[in-house]
Amino acid sequence: MEITGEIIGIIYRNDIDSYTIAEIYKAESKETMTIVGYLPFIAEGDTIKAIGKMVEHKDYGEQFKIETFEKIMPQTLDGLERYIGNGTIQGVGPSTAKKIVEKFGKDTIDIIKNYPEELSTIKGISRKKALEISESFTESFEVWRIVEFLQKYGIGIENAKKIYDILGTTAISQIEENPYILIDLVRGVDFKQIDRKALELGLDLTSIKRITSGIKYSLIQATYNGHSCVLLENLEEYVSNLLGISLNEVEESIINLNAKGEIVIEERQKGIEWVYLGRFYDIEMSICKRILDLDNCENLKKVKNIDKKMQKTEDLNTIELSKKQKEAIKAVNDNNVTIITGGPGTGKTTIIKSIIQIYTMENRKIVLAAPTGRAAKRMTEMTEKEASTLHRLLEIGKISEETLYENNKDYKGTPIDADVIIVDEVSMVDLVLMDCLLQSIYKGTKLILVGDSDQLPSVGPGSVLEDIIESNRITTIHLDKIFRQAAKSKIIVNAHRVNSGEKFITKNDEEQDSKQDFFFINEQNQEEILKQIISLCTGRLEKFGNYDFFNNIQILTPTKKGMLGTKELNKALQQVLNPNDDEKKEKSSQGAIYRVGDRIMQTKNNYDIYWEKYVTNEEGMGIFNGEFGTITNIDEKEKNIEIKFDDEKVAWYQFTDLEQIEHSYAITIHKAQRK
């Protein structure tokens, strides 16, 4: 649909990305309408022509969701008066605007733009002020053109304000001169589209601008894949193929970028060279400096008589700490920074609980955190002490992930009021998040990093936990003994055997009465593997326990593509576990069919979505990447899907917002890591 009207009220605006909810008056139909979308440079009194679609919000009713828009001149004299008096033109308020429109009428805009000296005939407007009004008007009206212009480069309107804030009113001319500057300004851009536009504008294949941007883009792509740096020879070959130029031309530009400090080449063992984007090298250096400074300062929180305190925790919990667990607790006491690492079943949780009790006895303030909501919830359940996500603890909040990765210097640190900070599941913490954490810790605070370095590294760039351990600069306690209770689980035993290069144990001959929780099915044929998966999900496991798929089973796979990737597995599993039924409502979106009863997963952080918990009568905002739920209703009239998440939150998704979710009958191993 296309609508035209005057903005008569701003209900809400996000200052970071200009996401706006506003009221618009459509003069033609003499009615008002609520509009939502990214509206940079728009103020009350502006008239816009917008393209979008009608959506139905659960609480606020019908709204017009804007996909793109353009700013046009007001269509009435009253509208014109409101427009030039809305505060966006320097030196013109409602009173002055009224005088100008009364004198010049429909010629007002022409006078302001082309004959500003005429404004000085109005009492109170000097010649100097008239010229200032003209200049301010031209600037405020012209900036919206950036929105339309950027669409040619595949840049959405949500990034337009950010680009304008950096480049100013000359943004268009700067981009036309060098389209590749968009690579530095916006995360996740389509390089090929920008490159195609640049070549159309006449830029040479071997232009320095083109090659340097190709290099930086390639390094950014590496960070999307979890790497903070790449081998120099691999980078040269990749860029050469990307741009269709010689290796010599790539090498020359790499040397120039290194000289400018935009990239950093680091020589390691045996002359092997690695290449970083400058900012990621700086982040790594910052982490190294901060963690060493924290560890080397005075040990202000050391507990006296630690052996007696450990004995007291043993008595309170009727447990006997192992030699290694006591070693870990003493290491925490003797150092400001300690790493505790070990596989499943090695007693990490018992150590955490004992540390909490010991420092609580000392009246020390303890803060618990984990990188994801699921991990924080698990930590709370294990310790019976509230744990928060690192994002919440650090008050990163609505600072977008894109902003953090583009320039984490914007994050100044939120000091953490704590004597002891314990962070669990640190293998999932990437470079940027670790740097933000270390910026926020006072010297003298104890930091305990807990995790399994053998798990998959973080989704974001860096293998932080593994690299800090391998540095041998921070005291690390390696837990390798599997406790008796945990040893009854073949999952735990086999996890350790895999790390040791040993074969799986599929059944325990010594303990025939132990619960069988691990099976290895050796199958090479994809079709047969799919049959096995469906069989396991539809009742075959019942004799081993009350395993209902929707409550107890999760399929993990390494990839999204192929017959055994998430996309095809989800389709196959939906057909057998939640098949089409005339009584079940469903909605098609982006190649998938969403049906009442489907298991789904949120795939991005959404800080603005509203939810309710009926059981506890709570309400709040925000559903985050990796949260799981079930579709409970699909409402064609309201055009939304109701989803109940596993923690009892109920949220409503507009049909136009379904790109935020995907089926979760099968998920990738990396996604499972975020649970």
Side-chain angles (χ1 to χ4, degrees), residues 211-219 235 239 250 253-254 257 263:
I211 301 172
T212 55
S213 292
I215 293 166
K216 288 192 280 186
Y217 167 77
S218 301
L219 289 170
L235 176 65
V239 175
V250 177
S253 290
I254 286 175
L257 282 171
I263 65 172

Side-chain angles (χ1 to χ4, degrees), residues 3 5-14 18-25 32-39 42-46 48 60 62-66:
I3 63 168
E6 179 187 341
I7 305 293
I8 57 173
I10 303 290
I11 299 170
Y12 165 81
R13 168 165 283 156
N14 183 317
S18 296
Y19 182 81
T20 304
I21 302 173
E23 288 293 319
I24 190 170
Y25 175 72
T32 60
M33 175 186 288
T34 302
I35 58 173
V36 296
Y38 297 98
L39 294 171
I42 292 299
E44 289 184 20
D46 287 348
I48 65 169
Y60 305 116
E62 198 172 53
Q63 300 175 334
F64 186 79
K65 186 174 182 179
I66 291 177

